[in-house]
Amino acid sequence: MSTFNVPTREEVTENNQAIFDNLNKALGFVPNLYATYAHSDTALENYLNFSNAKTSLSAKEREVVNLAVSEVNNCLYCLSAHTAIGKMNGFTDEQILELRAGEASFNNKLDALARLAKNVTENRGRTDVDVLENFFSAGYSKGNLIDVISLVGDKTISNYIHSTTQIPVDFPEAQPLEAATV
């Protein structure tokens, strides 16, 4: 099998170099997964536009979805990145483990969201009716549902890119859920 390198600034197109420069300014580095998107002339810009698009979900709610989806898709890179981002959004280590498992005993509304994100991902969009009804009963709207499904797609793209390329994780590595909960 071919191995994938993480392209450097010098190895990418001029457009991607400008994006790398912006990421360096904003984050202090270019995450390996983002750099991997830059193997394509257009994918990094397209992904960042999609990922940063307006949504009805708060930053905290986005992390609920990101963690649940990345766990279902078994993506170590995204679990590691979103564990760090989840902590920046105020989640504790214990809460992050629950969210990865697709639940949130500490908050009923986030529990409905985590369960929906897990169910949508596991069932490839064939969402269980009771999970969907619980989501709406928790106060979410049809618009929120569409935004959640869009975010599931967003995160699945990154999960699949990492699963295929196996580029190095450049965040503190998340532990397997089973090991972390024992």
Side-chain angles (χ1 to χ4, degrees):
M1 176 176 146
S2 296
T3 57
F4 282 81
N5 66 309
V6 176
T8 64
R9 185 183 186 284
E10 295 71 32
E11 296 173 316
V12 301
T13 64
E14 192 173 307
N15 184 56
N16 282 333
Q17 287 178 357
I19 295 170
F20 277 30
D21 293 345
N22 289 335
L23 287 167
N24 265 316
K25 274 188 230 168
L27 305 174
F29 75 114
V30 176
N32 286 344
L33 188 64
Y34 286 176
T36 302
Y37 275 92
H39 279 290
S40 163
D41 295 344
T42 57
L44 178 58
E45 181 177 17
N46 291 341
Y47 178 74
L48 290 173
N49 286 336
F50 182 48
S51 185
N52 294 318
K54 288 173 74 172
T55 179
S56 63
L57 303 174
S58 69
K60 210 166 188 168
E61 288 170 321
R62 288 175 58 96
E63 289 315 306
V64 169
V65 175
N66 289 334
L67 287 161
V69 171
S70 296
E71 184 65 39
V72 170
N73 289 329
N74 196 28
C75 180
L76 179 60
Y77 190 98
C78 294
L79 286 170
S80 299
H82 290 288
T83 293
I85 297 167
K87 288 178 185 179
M88 292 187 313
N89 278 284
F91 290 119
T92 67
D93 289 330
E94 295 76 23
Q95 290 171 336
I96 287 169
L97 292 174
E98 277 193 56
L99 295 170
R100 286 175 55 189
E103 53 194 45
S105 66
F106 55 92
N107 181 300
N108 287 340
K109 190 168 185 182
L110 294 181
D111 185 66
L113 177 60
R115 290 177 187 280
L116 176 73
K118 179 181 180 182
N119 190 266
V120 166
T121 307
E122 286 178 335
N123 295 318
R124 296 184 178 135
R126 292 174 189 85
T127 309
D128 292 343
V129 173
D130 57 328
V131 172
L132 191 57
E133 288 305 318
N134 184 48
F135 176 77
F136 291 133
S137 294
Y140 287 105
S141 69
K142 290 177 183 176
N144 297 137
L145 173 66
I146 301 306
D147 285 345
V148 169
I149 293 169
S150 292
L151 186 53
V152 169
D154 163 346
K155 192 48 40 205
T156 298
I157 293 166
S158 288
N159 295 165
Y160 286 10
I161 287 176
H162 182 260
S163 293
T164 299
T165 64
Q166 292 296 302
I167 49 98
V169 176
D170 52 353
F171 289 88
E173 208 167 288
Q175 297 302 305
L177 191 57
E178 299 78 32
T181 56
V182 173

